[in-house]
Amino acid sequence: MNFLAGETRPDHVPGEYLAKWAQDLPKISLHRHLEGSLRLRTLAEIASEYHITLPVYEVEALRPYVQITSDPPNFHNYIGKFSLLRHFYVSQEIIQRIVSEVIADAAQDNVRYMELRFNPVALSRIRNFALSDAVDWVVAAAAKAQETYHCRTCLILQIPREDPVAIAEEIVDIAIAHLGPQVRAIDLAGDEVHHPPQLFAVPFRRAKQAGLHIVGHAGEAMGAESVRNALTYLDAERIGHGIRSIEDPAVLQMLRDRGTTLEVCPTSNFQTGAAPNPPDHPLYDLYHLGIRVTVNTDNPSISATSLSNEYVVSVRDIGLKPGAIYRTLRNAVDAAFIPDDECDWLWDTIYDGLAPYPGAREIFSAPR
Ligand SMILES: [Zn+2]
């Protein structure tokens, strides 16, 4: 089947073919949390080796504790999965093993470039590691694994909104000290409703002045106003999710004027209740309104998903044509926080990988 110049109607494509198309495409993952990407098998192994207390120890029995299974869609259920997932960071070896496995899994999914974000506080809390030590370990493991698995990986340090601003300042200090080929950016993550971006304007300004890129979670649990605030007070270049921008035409115009990219994570949005059930996910309208959208996984192990699967969901359930996916790849290339001297490599990698798909390179490389 001559799958797609961009106009192929998704409902005319057999499911198996769609899955193979998504798997084979060269992909870019901009929004993925380390702590939500652990293999269940690894969790069970670590628990028995390090005598970590779990409600159950068998992989399938463990699944509902760390993964959305039949849970009703809401934030509480989704975020609740982290409470168990954060018990596992008890040694440098484990943290580095997890980083390496996440990169291996992305490479297996044909992700060529990934930006992996993590919360240094979450990695350090159980054993009282110094935040900077935990960051050192992640950086070293990512640098090694990206070579082993051929998936270039940059890192984003998360600022947890629930913690005092002093923690944000400390993480910014660490991010500035580590700014280089691996550490590229900071992100504001956590409870949007009670901890608005205004509280973090000072450390984010300092980070930007030091050369770090800026992303903020917004427009997920809260409406378009939080996106406006992330743009205004954090000077965010990208917005994590941002799907509820759709509720305010003025915010949409702001996104267009600034060329801001949204990191959309469809399955996560369904599971948290941030988006209505398919096919009514805002991704479709955002794309057609000229917003720079990208498709991502958020937390693959909580959602039992992969980036390939998110492409399938975007086409099969949300109704984007494959051509739109090619364009989201272009958006991801343009919005990547990769060092300047690697931008040509990233473009060429995706462009070359699109060769088998009729018309894909034209859509990818079309002027804005
Ligand atoms: Zn996220």
Side-chain angles (χ1 to χ4, degrees):
M1 180 184 293
N2 190 14
F3 189 53
L4 150 63
E7 293 302 307
T8 308
R9 280 186 50 178
D11 53 347
H12 290 178
V13 181
E16 268 178 35
Y17 192 95
L18 196 59
K20 180 167 175 14
W21 165 80
Q23 166 66 34
D24 289 350
L25 276 177
K27 286 178 285 290
I28 294 176
S29 178
L30 296 182
H31 188 129
R32 183 178 308 221
H33 296 265
L34 174 67
E35 302 101 286
S37 306
L38 288 74
R39 296 176 186 167
L40 264 62
R41 197 173 58 249
T42 297
L43 295 186
E45 283 174 24
I46 294 171
S48 69
E49 192 175 332
Y50 286 81
H51 307 292
I52 294 169
T53 305
L54 292 181
V56 289
Y57 290 88
E58 193 267 322
V59 169
E60 278 314 309
L62 197 55
R63 190 178 298 279
Y65 290 93
V66 294
Q67 206 165 71
I68 299 289
T69 50
S70 55
D71 315 54
N74 65 53
F75 274 99
H76 181 76
N77 290 334
Y78 188 90
I79 299 295
K81 306 298 176 187
F82 281 110
S83 59
L84 189 65
L85 286 168
R86 289 189 167 148
H87 280 88
F88 292 87
Y89 306 110
V90 293
S91 74
Q92 173 182 352
E93 184 194 2
I94 287 177
I95 290 172
Q96 294 191 314
R97 171 181 173 178
I98 290 167
V99 172
S100 183
E101 288 181 356
V102 171
I103 294 171
D105 291 346
Q108 187 73 32
D109 194 31
N110 213 13
V111 172
R112 305 290 179 84
Y113 172 69
M114 172 160 67
E115 291 180 5
L116 188 60
R117 61 190 71 193
F118 64 101
N119 174 354
V121 176
L123 301 190
S124 309
R125 196 162 269 161
I126 297 281
R127 288 289 162 95
N128 244 336
F129 299 131
L131 294 183
S132 60
D133 285 348
V135 174
D136 281 342
W137 301 336
V138 174
V139 167
K144 188 171 171 203
Q146 68 177 2
E147 300 300 327
T148 306
Y149 300 109
H150 307 290
C151 173
R152 175 75 172 96
T153 303
C154 289
L155 298 169
I156 300 173
L157 271 57
Q158 270 173 251
I159 310 277
R161 309 170 100 116
E162 296 82 357
D163 285 327
V165 175
I167 296 286
E169 294 283 6
E170 186 180 352
I171 294 173
V172 167
D173 286 341
I174 294 168
I176 291 171
H178 284 80
L179 176 59
Q182 240 67 52
V183 172
R184 306 296 306 159
I186 56 168
D187 170 33
L188 189 62
D191 177 358
E192 273 186 75
V193 179
H194 299 101
H195 306 273
Q198 293 87 310
L199 302 173
F200 300 92
V202 171
F204 271 72
R205 191 177 319 126
R206 198 159 64 80
K208 188 144 210 174
Q209 282 167 354
L212 286 159
H213 291 285
I214 304 293
V215 55
H217 279 69
E220 181 193 18
M222 273 187 75
E225 189 61 23
S226 78
V227 176
R228 185 197 308 277
N229 288 338
L231 295 172
T232 304
Y233 295 103
L234 306 180
D235 201 8
E237 298 153 72
R238 302 192 326 224
I239 299 290
H241 303 287
I243 54 171
R244 292 183 61 187
S245 306
I246 199 77
E247 296 168 6
D248 186 344
V251 170
L252 292 174
Q253 193 55 44
M254 238 177 135
L255 294 171
R256 273 190 294 258
D257 290 346
R258 299 166 71 114
T260 309
T261 299
L262 302 187
E263 306 162 347
V264 180
C265 308
T267 298
S268 166
N269 298 152
F270 293 135
Q271 292 175 341
T272 59
N277 281 335
D280 297 324
H281 192 291
L283 175 61
Y284 184 91
D285 286 338
L286 289 166
Y287 176 79
H288 289 97
L289 287 166
I291 305 300
R292 297 186 186 197
V293 289
T294 58
V295 176
N296 302 279
T297 56
D298 214 7
N299 296 287
S301 58
I302 292 178
S303 296
T305 193
S306 63
L307 189 51
S308 294
N309 186 57
E310 295 305 302
Y311 282 21
V312 170
V313 168
S314 299
V315 171
R316 182 195 62 205
D317 301 338
I318 299 174
L320 285 185
K321 289 183 172 164
I325 297 293
Y326 302 150
R327 197 60 182 173
T328 67
L329 279 167
R330 164 63 178 278
N331 293 341
V333 168
D334 288 349
F337 295 152
I338 196 168
D340 288 346
D341 60 0
E342 295 180 76
C343 289
D344 287 348
W345 166 82
L346 183 57
W347 174 287
D348 292 346
T349 296
I350 302 301
Y351 187 83
D352 292 350
L354 291 176
Y357 307 95
R361 286 171 150 187
E362 288 73 12
I363 295 169
F364 173 79
S365 59
R368 290 217 173 267

